[in-house]
Amino acid sequence: MAEIELRSVVKKYGALTVVHDFNLKIEDGEFVVFLGPSGCGKSTTLRMIAGLEDISGGTVRIGNRDVTHLEPKDRNIAMVFQNYALYPHKTIYENMAFGLRLAKLPKQEIEKRVAEAAKMLDLQELLGRKPKQLSGGQMQRVALGRALVRNPDVFLLDEPLSNLDAKLRVRMREEIAALHQRIGTSMIYVTHDQVEAMTMADRIVIMKGGVVQQVGAPLRVYDKPANVFVASFIGSPEMNLFEGRVGGSDAVVQEMRIPLGRNPRLTDGVEITVGFRPEHVQVGEGDLKFTVNLVEQLGVQTLCSGTCNGLFMRIMIERRDDLKKGDVLSFAIPEGKLHLFDKSTGSRIDQADK
Amino acid sequence: MPKSTVKKFLLSLVGLAIVVYSAFPIYWMVVSSVRPPESLLSEVSLIPSVFTLEYYRNLLELTDYPKHFANSVIVAGSTVVITMILAVMIAYAVARYRVRGKKAIVVAMLYAYMFPPLLVAIPLYALFIKIGLGDSLISLVAAHLTLTLPLGVWFLWGFFRNLPFQIEEAAMVDGCTRLGAFIRVVLPLSVPGLITVAVFSFLLSWTDYTFAVIMISSDVNKTIPVGLASMIGSFDLRWGEVMAGSTLIAAPLLIVFTFLSKYFIQGLGAGAVKG
Ligand SMILES: Nc1ncnc2c1ncn2[C@@H]1O[C@H](COP(=O)(O)OP(=O)(O)OP(=O)(O)O)[C@@H](O)[C@H]1O
Ligand SMILES: [Mg+2]
């Protein structure tokens, strides 16, 4: 168990910088998720922590050791790979015991640890098999088991669930979360799936183009996205975002006027990006008119896409069975649910109540 | 009969025909090596009526055959060992590291392989004479490497490229050094590929005639294919001894194939599909 600290970590490939000035302190036992679109440098950062990738600048500390220049084997970390990376020529038992054998642990200790991990992950029946004879979910559990037996300071997981089908993914997500609660070891988990990030993380690190965009607890990031990118990346369905300007006490987007409410006084004519989440609109009040174009029934909720003053948007409301194309709903955006961003920089315009 | 059975039957028949066609000369060679001289060129029965080991005795006691056999073993053995060591190192480096112009390296090697041996052999011979290695087993090994090395690198390159790198990384996280990961994980997984390359190198070197006939002039340094051929060229052509000699050339190949065919076929498959 240990805290992890990244200070001004940089990764360059020749002239190309793929991770810029990455700073993060991960508390002991914390579950941190690196989230971002493909190619944003999540894996690279994780692999720098693992020691599989050279660090071009900055330092990495695990516990109270500077591990920046240590080999992976000397960092006391465990890693779970997207494609599981089990040793195909070894049995499941040997896959899990491999690291312990390298560490020259006594035989009984190895047996004990493997048995414990196998029990925890429900792998007892499979210990004699080869990886080829397992299903994807089972292989993923073996990969977790292999990490688990080593008692590492930190678990690093790179998109461990992305090769599984949707249903299994949900189950494994719960299993990993439960595992984390039980063993209490710090975990760093890489994904591009915002649902995984929201459901599992203590804190999310959102990245784009090698730059950290925001670090925060899932709901914090959801409630107060630091910039337009985070706003659109977190939450499903995506936030409705429009470019416009301040006009009196309203945000003006073409013909549409959205009341700013108690938002801080902004100078008339300032260019802004406004956003609101589909699930936050209140239907049946207010002056905005939404014309339904497409209705998607999700069960408890109904998702409609359509237009307001000719602008495309989505709204999500309580289940309504009667809606059809062409219907018009009036709606309002409640106080505090409107997000304002500087149009040129994209960063959040802070609100008075912050 | 159901259709699929008919199909299978026909397929087996064709397979059998091919086997008989290619195996019969080998069988005839073996049989001829044990037929006594009186019936060697006249008897047509499949199984000889009288057996004799006379040719083998002559071959081993009265000719340079044992010496040539030993030369062949030395040359083929060295070729295999050197090919394996170099090909593994080069192929791994090319497959795993960002080597400048690695495509060019591999293509150049393949190109060298496609060169007719004769064209390579003559300048090589001149070169070896210059540096004082003319007519030596070393020069022959070096010549064989010009064939086996490109083939080995190319084949293993395809093999290594298709082993997921993450497996090595997992081993490194698990506590191996880079070299340790290579030895404990990559090599065991590459056994079929390694055996395939070893068998091919052995085959090329063991059966080579072209290089040997150019590189080697003295009797003591001849390898068996050349030694045997010089027997055919001499004034009285002794078919019996030639057949016995050929059988002995083929024997190691048969043994190698019998024991390693499983891996060999696996390796070929892996290389063919992905390489
Ligand atoms: N060896 C390399 N040389 C040059 N650029 C590289 C190299 N490896 C990765 N990159 C670049 O670094 C960037 C970050 O890659 P990384 O694998 O960390 O992305 P990621 O966030 O994990 O994406 P994904 O979700 O697709 O896995 C990418 O733009 C990639 O093209
Ligand atoms: Mg990645």
Side-chain angles (χ1 to χ4, degrees):
Chain A
M1 300 237 181
E3 29 177 76
I4 297 115
E5 190 175 1
L6 289 92
R7 270 192 222 148
S8 313
V9 171
V10 172
K11 178 67 189 180
K12 290 184 181 154
Y13 287 111
L16 183 74
T17 307
V18 297
V19 175
H20 300 260
D21 192 32
F22 194 113
N23 286 289
L24 182 69
K25 190 165 178 191
I26 297 169
E27 300 300 328
D28 188 9
E30 205 176 4
F31 196 123
V32 169
V33 172
F34 292 175
L35 176 69
S38 188
C40 70
K42 312 176 292 281
S43 299
T44 308
T45 309
L46 193 75
R47 292 164 53 80
M48 284 194 286
I49 299 172
L52 295 170
E53 208 77 67
D54 293 334
I55 298 172
S56 315
T59 53
V60 176
R61 301 178 67 87
I62 298 177
N64 38 30
R65 289 191 306 161
D66 182 344
V67 300
T68 314
H69 300 291
L70 293 186
E71 292 282 309
K73 70 183 176 67
D74 300 322
R75 296 193 180 196
N76 198 24
I77 44 148
M79 188 153 172
V80 177
F81 295 83
Q82 178 174 353
N83 61 3
Y84 322 130
L86 301 180
Y87 310 120
H89 58 305
K90 294 182 188 288
T91 62
I92 301 311
Y93 182 91
E94 285 304 322
N95 261 280
M96 294 207 271
F98 185 62
L100 304 178
R101 286 196 204 285
L102 287 173
K104 303 222 160 47
L105 255 60
K107 202 159 178 282
Q108 287 106 337
E109 178 67 15
I110 295 178
E111 275 171 15
K112 192 177 127 231
R113 287 211 204 167
V114 173
E116 270 173 19
K119 185 157 170 245
M120 204 183 282
L121 294 164
D122 199 15
L123 292 168
Q124 285 123 315
E125 315 287 304
L126 308 175
L127 289 176
R129 296 208 202 159
K130 291 272 177 73
K132 234 189 276 173
Q133 300 163 314
L134 302 188
S135 72
Q138 290 168 331
M139 280 200 263
Q140 194 49 270
R141 285 214 293 275
V142 176
L144 280 173
R146 184 172 65 182
L148 193 61
V149 292
R150 306 221 353 258
N151 268 338
D153 282 339
V154 53
F155 276 82
L156 308 175
L157 304 97
D158 193 350
E159 309 211 16
L161 306 185
S162 56
N163 285 354
L164 304 177
D165 67 53
K167 213 165 192 167
L168 198 54
R169 201 145 59 204
V170 174
R171 214 180 76 207
M172 287 302 296
R173 200 165 82 196
E174 288 163 358
E175 273 186 45
I176 292 177
L179 189 70
H180 174 247
Q181 273 178 5
R182 183 144 27 142
I183 59 175
T185 308
S186 315
M187 288 193 178
I188 306 178
Y189 185 107
V190 164
T191 182
H192 57 248
D193 178 348
Q194 58 102 14
V195 179
E196 266 174 34
M198 291 293 286
T199 50
M200 301 169 86
D202 292 325
R203 272 193 304 162
I204 305 180
V205 177
I206 299 160
M207 300 175 69
K208 179 193 166 198
V211 180
V212 174
Q213 304 291 312
Q214 187 171 7
V215 180
L219 288 178
R220 171 88 196 162
V221 173
Y222 174 85
D223 287 338
K224 300 227 182 301
N227 57 35
V228 172
F229 172 77
V230 176
S232 65
F233 201 79
I234 296 279
S236 167
E238 230 176 82
M239 185 187 279
N240 297 302
L241 286 161
F242 306 98
E243 290 183 351
R245 60 187 168 76
V246 177
S249 60
D250 293 338
V252 183
V253 183
Q254 295 177 21
E255 308 289 291
M256 181 170 72
R257 295 184 80 93
I258 306 171
L260 288 173
R262 260 199 345 229
N263 274 302
R265 228 159 244 302
L266 290 161
T267 326
D268 231 24
V270 169
E271 308 243 283
I272 52 169
T273 301
V274 284
F276 58 91
R277 297 195 182 278
E279 58 270 34
H280 286 158
V281 300
Q282 275 176 352
V283 173
E285 33 194 287
D287 311 323
L288 294 162
K289 297 277 179 281
F290 176 82
T291 312
V292 177
N293 189 28
L294 184 74
V295 180
E296 289 173 67
Q297 295 294 357
L298 305 177
V300 187
Q301 283 155 318
T302 302
L303 175 64
C304 308
S305 36
T307 53
C308 172
N309 292 90
L311 296 162
F312 175 84
M313 63 177 64
R314 292 194 188 85
I315 63 172
M316 191 148 80
I317 53 180
E318 297 267 293
R319 171 170 167 173
R320 287 262 306 259
D321 298 16
D322 57 330
L323 284 177
K324 58 183 184 309
K325 187 176 165 146
D327 286 355
V328 175
L329 302 169
S330 62
F331 72 97
I333 298 150
E335 286 278 306
K337 298 296 185 193
L338 195 65
H339 303 267
L340 300 183
F341 305 96
D342 185 305
K343 188 176 154 195
S344 52
T345 63
S347 33
R348 182 177 192 81
I349 298 172
D350 275 318
Q351 305 191 352
D353 62 348
K354 194 196 160 186
Chain B
M1 263 192 286
K3 220 174 179 176
S4 68
T5 320
V6 177
K7 234 186 195 163
K8 260 190 206 155
F9 180 73
L10 285 178
L11 209 64
S12 316
L13 216 61
V14 172
L16 197 68
I18 294 173
V19 169
V20 169
Y21 178 75
S22 49
F24 184 74
I26 298 171
Y27 175 73
W28 200 248
M29 167 186 85
V30 177
V31 168
S32 301
S33 73
V34 294
R35 262 196 243 274
E38 310 84 71
S39 54
L40 178 57
L41 294 176
S42 51
E43 200 182 57
V44 287
S45 64
L46 280 179
I47 298 159
S49 40
V50 192
F51 284 90
T52 172
L53 289 177
E54 183 190 331
Y55 305 131
Y56 287 92
R57 208 170 307 123
N58 288 346
L59 198 65
L60 299 180
E61 283 171 5
L62 305 179
T63 68
D64 282 337
Y65 194 86
K67 176 69 186 152
H68 295 164
F69 196 92
N71 287 343
S72 273
V73 169
I74 292 169
V75 170
S78 316
T79 305
V80 168
V81 170
I82 298 174
T83 303
M84 295 308 288
I85 294 172
L86 291 183
V88 163
M89 292 198 307
I90 298 173
Y92 187 75
V94 176
R96 284 291 184 256
Y97 297 95
R98 315 191 127 228
V99 184
R100 218 172 259 277
K102 64 177 169 186
K103 267 265 153 56
I105 295 177
V106 176
V107 170
M109 287 211 138
L110 261 187
Y111 191 64
Y113 176 67
M114 287 189 280
F115 242 53
L118 215 54
L119 290 190
V120 183
I122 293 163
L124 261 183
Y125 179 63
L127 179 76
F128 284 126
I129 296 274
K130 269 239 166 69
I131 58 175
L133 286 174
D135 185 26
S136 66
L137 294 184
I138 297 178
S139 70
L140 193 53
V141 170
H144 287 167
L145 287 177
T146 65
L147 286 182
T148 58
L149 210 49
L151 199 69
V153 169
W154 183 75
F155 191 86
L156 288 178
W157 175 59
F159 215 87
F160 289 150
R161 225 176 21 156
N162 286 300
L163 284 183
F165 194 24
Q166 276 84 359
I167 295 181
E168 274 164 79
E169 295 189 328
M172 276 156 64
V173 170
D174 259 351
C176 288
T177 57
R178 198 166 256 278
L179 183 66
F182 178 73
I183 292 169
R184 285 163 183 275
V185 177
V186 178
L187 283 188
L189 285 172
S190 310
V191 166
L194 298 178
I195 287 182
T196 308
V197 171
V199 168
F200 258 126
S201 313
F202 183 78
L203 211 77
L204 274 169
S205 178
W206 186 255
T207 60
D208 164 67
Y209 178 78
T210 319
F211 280 116
V213 86
I214 292 172
M215 296 292 180
I216 305 294
S217 42
S218 63
D219 250 343
V220 286
N221 283 336
K222 278 182 180 161
T223 53
I224 23 180
V226 179
L228 209 60
S230 58
M231 237 188 268
I232 297 179
S234 52
F235 49 94
D236 77 304
L237 177 54
R238 307 190 61 110
W239 275 119
E241 280 77 3
V242 171
M243 286 302 155
S246 309
T247 304
L248 287 183
I249 295 185
L253 300 182
L254 269 169
I255 294 169
V256 165
F257 272 109
T258 316
F259 283 105
L260 302 179
S261 62
K262 190 181 111 197
Y263 295 103
F264 188 61
I265 290 164
Q266 257 180 31
L268 272 184
V273 175
K274 299 162 190 162

